[in-house]
Amino acid sequence: MNNIRSSYTDSLNFYGKEDPQSLAEQFGTPLYVYNENILRERCREFLKLSTHDGFRINYSAKANTNPHLLKIIQEEGCRIDAMSPGELLLDLKAGFTSDKILYVCNNVSDDELKFALSHNLLISVDSLSQIERLCMLNPNGKIMVRFNPGIGAGHSAKVVTGGKETKFGVDPEKLPQVLEILEKYKVRLAGINHHIGSLFMDGADYINAAKVLMDLATRLPHLDELEIIDFGGGFGIPYEKYDEKPRFDLEAFSKLLDATLEEWSKKHNYKGLFYLEPGRYIAAECGLVLGSVFVHKDNSDKYYVGTDLGFNVLARPMLYDSFHDVEIYRKNGSPDDVCIEQTIVGNICESGDIIAKNRSLPLLKEGDTIAMLDAGAYGFVMSSNYTSRLRPAEVLIKADGTAKLIRRKETFEDIFATIIDD
Ligand code: LLP
């Protein structure tokens, strides 16, 4: 098969023994496709970032919770977080044990806190009111507190989670009040954490914020009781695959991180763990979503390509104006086709339903299969049933190159299941 635009996935042997068009025929589109080898490789890159004894990778499950992928992440040696009861159950389903799961929530009910406590999890909360609630529910227990380091970063204001403009974390100035509440309930501060935001391509802000958190740790009356210092995630990937944008420089970051952790823990005789909590970096590049081209049309001199990839399937372009690169598969196509500017849209009844805007691409045709790349993180997990469309299936290309269905497509029965009949 000669494709139109596939050199990126070709170079990785992304589809193994399969090919995108036969996957689309076999499982239908939209279809999320993941590659096991790439997922393992991303975990390994992170696990070797530091040689410090206490260094751990705590995968942030919100990026992708399919238990088949979580199981691979667990086999590689990562721990995991959960930010809701559903994520907690999925983590357990994948085989993570309670001691490897961290509950990082914000603004939740007592019932939710009790649920996490019933699974013996260490829980991170991020307000004085929630600290008090958790202490009341679990006197003499342990707690983790999320602070706001005053530094934020991210690809959009919607995902910056550190700094004054965000709802997250306790102001480090309020440490005395935090300690007072803990003392009242004889609760031990077993962890401190933060997360500055999502998708930065250089580690300077991350390290600066880490230093703020470590500095706060030195002000604790019982640093020896601290088990975990968790710096959060946020590490970016280059989405412009056909522009060859540089990757996050993990080598430089690793040197800086390792030196920072070693020096600080020696100086303060810290024997606990350090967590990094990446979601996107681990899961984004091992996944893509396949769609079909049904329509091409010319509207007011603009060329539109109509597909089944609406924002119900991949929400990021609509929500954040995010860029995902496109591949085009056509039997007996030619990669030398002339490029014209096209806008790829979905089948949802809103003008914002644009998946790729003004892209210079070979002319797409009805019957083509396309892929939106780097959709493994915040892809399926953010899909919805808007306009009562069914959420797609997920397929894993295993290490041996064969395909395995790891989630079936929804059925109308799934949608009707929660409706109460008269
Ligand atoms: N830790 C905490 C407490 C978080 O809230 C998050 C992400 C992470 C770790 C992992 O961040 P990552 O390494 O994936 O950047 N839906 C957005 C991203 C939202 C991230 C939310 N929190 C997107 O599609 O860009």
Side-chain angles (χ1 to χ4, degrees), residues 39-81:
L39 178 58
R40 289 193 187 277
E41 182 56 33
R42 293 297 173 266
C43 292
R44 287 172 196 173
E45 285 175 26
F46 252 73
L47 285 157
K48 64 178 191 216
L49 277 182
S50 169
T51 53
H52 190 284
D53 277 352
F55 178 72
R56 299 287 183 277
I57 295 303
N58 200 45
Y59 168 66
S60 190
K62 56 185 72 65
N64 191 316
T65 34
N66 188 302
H68 293 266
L69 303 189
L70 299 188
K71 195 163 176 294
I72 293 169
I73 291 168
Q74 191 230 0
E75 282 167 8
E76 287 300 324
C78 299
R79 298 180 173 211
I80 199 158
D81 77 1

Side-chain angles (χ1 to χ4, degrees), residues 46 58-63 81 83 104-106 124 146 155-156 158-159 161 168 193-200 230-236 239 276-282 315-316 319-320 322 324 377-379 381-382:
F46 252 73
N58 200 45
Y59 168 66
S60 190
K62 56 185 72 65
D81 77 1
M83 75 151 312
V104 186
C105 57
N106 67 98
S124 154
R146 175 170 175 172
H155 68 81
S156 144
K158 291 176 182 155
V159 299
T161 50
F168 295 99
N193 65 318
H194 69 210
H195 170 67
I196 63 171
S198 192
L199 208 170
F200 41 81
D230 175 355
F231 304 122
F235 307 90
Y239 280 90
L276 266 58
E277 210 160 76
R280 183 189 316 271
Y281 194 92
I282 300 289
R316 302 191 70 254
L319 257 183
Y320 316 113
S322 297
H324 287 258
Y378 308 111
V381 288
M382 291 171 69

Side-chain angles (χ1 to χ4, degrees), residues 203-204 207 251-261:
I207 295 289
E251 211 178 311
F253 177 72
S254 164
K255 282 193 189 124
L256 204 57
L257 179 75
D258 219 21
T260 310
L261 303 187

